[in-house]
Amino acid sequence: TEAVYDCPITEFLKPQLELKVAQESEAVVSLIQMSKKAHVVLERTPLKDSLLGVLEKLKRTRARSHGNYIPALDKVLEVLSPDYHKPTRLYLVFLSDGAPSDHTFEECVDGVKVWQVEEWEASYHCDDVIACRRAVKKYVEDEVLKRVRKLGDYFGRDRMMIGTVAFGPPNLNYRMLKQMANELPRGSFQKLGLQVGGLKTALTSLTTSLTTLRTEGSSGLTDRNKKVDQKAKIDLAKSNGLFREDGW
């Protein structure tokens, strides 16, 4: 856990604080810890030197429990929602040491949490336990990708950048993280293994992308892209019951 916090401090945030643009912008940082539920550690905290002290204290915490992607992405949308009407550039760094654990808590069509019980036990309720397990995992994958697309549709695909980072044993399956990055035009995926040096390299690359994002002017969106993004946002808002002709 210490490396997970130390590297973002030294390789990601400090370079941003050294930028001249840091003195002229209202950049903020949010931090969400992913477990069975999502926990907001920092919410829209100004990007200032004092932020480093806060993160230094978090280095003493320890990772635990499951890593559920769905509640984490729901919380991302909630935290970023104040930026809906602003020309803000948004950058999501999604760091995980493995595949999502959400399937463990989901029920199959037969009402059984098939990933929490042995196959023989589930077979009393399910005709095909293997098929049920596959279906539950597929449901989770679809829901995760749907939420990533929703971020792009809601805030604008030219405004929303995502960098997914796999920091764990190299033999694990990180396909979900790669697919998440591929859902948005400005997405990237990096697989690091367990070496701290790899994490440093990845965050150095990500901070370069963030620098580009922060220094882009509002004119970076063409008129056509602005219209397309605005239409997508309105359609999404209508489907969520958030849009009314007389305002929000």
Side-chain angles (χ1 to χ4, degrees):
T1 305
E2 183 173 351
V4 170
Y5 282 108
D6 188 52
C7 290
I9 292 172
T10 58
E11 311 300 329
F12 192 71
L13 291 178
K14 281 186 177 179
Q16 295 302 313
L17 288 167
E18 294 169 359
L19 285 177
K20 182 179 179 181
V21 69
Q23 307 298 325
E24 302 169 352
S25 68
E26 297 179 356
V28 296
V29 175
S30 296
L31 175 64
I32 299 170
Q33 285 183 338
M34 184 168 54
S35 184
K36 182 177 180 180
K37 296 182 179 180
H39 175 58
V40 179
V41 180
L42 298 173
E43 184 168 0
R44 308 185 70 80
T45 303
L47 181 58
K48 296 180 180 179
D49 290 331
S50 57
L51 176 63
L52 300 181
V54 176
L55 292 176
E56 285 285 348
K57 294 179 181 178
L58 290 173
K59 287 163 60 174
R60 295 192 289 268
T61 63
R62 289 291 176 263
R64 61 187 185 277
S65 189
H66 298 276
N68 290 351
Y69 285 24
I70 292 174
L73 290 168
D74 286 340
K75 190 62 69 174
V76 168
L77 179 60
E78 178 184 323
V79 170
L80 294 181
S81 59
D83 291 296
Y84 179 83
H85 288 293
K86 300 177 183 178
T88 318
R89 303 285 176 160
L90 306 168
Y91 196 5
L92 170 62
V93 177
F94 197 97
L95 176 65
S96 176
D97 63 355
S101 303
D102 306 70
H103 62 278
T104 307
F105 307 95
E106 294 290 340
E107 294 182 348
C108 70
V109 292
D110 296 308
V112 181
K113 293 182 179 179
V114 288
W115 286 98
Q116 290 190 11
V117 297
E118 297 292 339
E119 284 191 29
W120 65 266
E121 187 177 354
S123 65
Y124 287 112
H125 308 280
C126 306
D127 292 331
D128 189 336
V129 179
I130 294 177
C132 280
R133 285 186 169 182
R134 287 175 179 167
V136 168
K137 274 202 168 185
K138 179 66 165 54
Y139 166 78
V140 168
E141 291 178 359
D142 289 346
E143 289 297 308
V144 167
L145 297 180
K146 182 170 72 174
R147 281 161 172 77
V148 175
R149 289 193 297 270
K150 184 175 182 179
L151 287 170
D153 293 339
Y154 193 79
F155 296 106
R157 291 173 178 262
D158 282 356
R159 291 174 56 201
M160 187 78 219
M161 182 181 288
I162 181 172
T164 59
V165 181
F167 183 55
N171 60 324
L172 293 185
N173 182 1
Y174 301 107
R175 179 173 54 88
M176 189 80 264
L177 289 172
K178 186 175 182 179
Q179 287 181 299
M180 289 167 63
N182 289 338
E183 286 298 318
L184 296 180
R186 310 186 75 173
S188 66
F189 165 71
Q190 299 189 57
K191 179 180 176 181
L192 310 175
L194 286 170
Q195 298 299 319
V196 174
L199 182 58
K200 288 183 177 181
T201 300
L203 290 171
T204 299
S205 172
L206 291 172
T207 200
T208 300
S209 299
L210 179 58
T211 299
T212 301
L213 191 69
R214 293 182 63 201
T215 53
E216 287 177 350
S218 58
S219 60
L221 286 175
T222 65
D223 289 340
R224 179 180 180 277
N225 284 336
K226 287 179 181 178
K227 291 176 181 177
V228 170
D229 281 339
Q230 185 63 19
K231 182 180 184 302
K233 288 163 68 177
I234 291 174
D235 290 344
L236 177 65
K238 286 180 177 178
S239 68
N240 290 336
L242 298 175
F243 183 83
R244 304 192 307 271
E245 293 300 330
D246 58 345
W248 289 68

